[in-house]
Amino acid sequence: MSNYRRSHEGRTFFFTLVTYRRRPILTTALGRKLLRQAIATIRKDHTFRIIALVLLPDHLHTIWELPRHDVDYSTRWSLIKANFSREWNKNHQTIPNQSQSRISRGESDIWQRRFYEHTCRDEQDLKRCLDYVHVNPLKHQLVQQVIDWPWSSFHRFVKQGEYPPTWGNATHWYGDEFNHFE
């Protein structure tokens, strides 16, 4: 069995989570609402700060800062995914033909089992991760300009003066430099 090692150092982490069978549910009105509620619920007992986030139809990328001496992001993600799945299924939004393996493990039909994690090592690495989060809708050809994607922290960063509104357009970002995380 593969040895999935998770970081136990640092406080700032980049994550990618993907829906089961890449089902495009996250940008639906219900998906957005339930994810927002799940995150808010879990943050009450397991604090963390969301530095950046982009929500795409079948996956999300986010950067979190965890409290000092607490790097248990796995528990946070497990609780968020469970909360979201429970509420999603209350709305009878199940996926047919779930695998026997997932059923026997008691896993939901909403999320892929694992998630990708990367520890941001320094300010330069954090900036690279921020750029990746924000350029992702463009990378997936969902928009021609990053500013046009509504479910992104990019808009907050523009208001704070961290990015110009014109940052990221189709003519500049279709290179290999943003393929690090997929």
Side-chain angles (χ1 to χ4, degrees):
M1 181 170 175
S2 299
N3 180 17
Y4 292 95
R5 296 179 341 146
R6 299 286 187 199
S7 174
H8 297 289
E9 298 178 12
R11 294 180 51 208
T12 306
F13 303 92
F14 168 93
F15 301 100
T16 299
L17 279 80
V18 181
T19 60
Y20 180 60
R21 296 185 178 168
R22 288 205 171 259
R23 186 173 181 204
I25 62 172
L26 297 179
T27 54
T28 65
L30 180 61
R32 294 189 321 269
K33 174 186 169 190
L34 296 181
L35 186 61
R36 186 175 28 255
Q37 288 174 347
I39 289 171
T41 298
I42 302 316
R43 284 173 73 177
K44 289 176 186 173
D45 293 326
H46 303 277
T47 60
F48 59 92
R49 183 170 76 97
I50 298 174
I51 295 173
L53 184 136
V54 67
L55 197 59
L56 290 101
D58 61 358
H59 68 287
L60 68 89
H61 300 288
T62 187
I63 301 172
W64 288 359
E65 181 180 45
L66 273 64
R68 193 170 302 284
H69 307 298
D70 179 359
V71 293
D72 189 10
Y73 47 77
S74 288
T75 295
R76 288 168 172 87
W77 278 123
S78 178
L79 292 169
I80 289 168
K81 289 164 71 172
N83 183 296
F84 180 96
S85 299
R86 186 173 42 258
E87 295 303 315
W88 182 269
N89 288 330
K90 280 182 184 177
N91 287 278
H92 310 290
Q93 302 286 328
T94 60
I95 298 173
N97 303 320
Q98 185 177 2
S99 73
Q100 189 58 44
S101 171
R102 292 180 75 86
I103 292 169
S104 67
R105 292 174 187 229
E107 295 175 336
S108 88
D109 58 356
I110 306 298
W111 299 100
Q112 285 187 5
R113 285 185 181 140
R114 292 178 173 76
F115 57 86
Y116 175 82
E117 169 271 323
H118 167 79
T119 303
C120 297
R121 297 177 300 275
D122 54 31
E123 288 299 316
Q124 183 179 357
D125 192 26
L126 174 59
K127 175 65 171 132
R128 185 177 61 88
C129 291
L130 284 168
D131 289 348
Y132 184 83
V133 165
H134 293 135
V135 81
N136 214 256
L138 183 69
K139 179 180 181 285
H140 289 282
Q141 300 178 7
L142 298 169
V143 291
Q144 290 295 308
Q145 297 181 76
V146 172
I147 195 98
D148 293 338
W149 190 250
W151 304 296
S152 172
S153 58
F154 180 73
H155 302 280
R156 177 171 41 93
F157 278 78
V158 168
K159 286 179 187 172
Q160 295 171 343
E162 298 290 327
Y163 290 97
T166 57
W167 183 88
N169 63 54
T171 61
H172 293 105
W173 292 104
Y174 287 134
D176 289 332
E177 61 190 292
F178 288 101
N179 290 326
H180 307 303
F181 301 115
E182 294 192 30

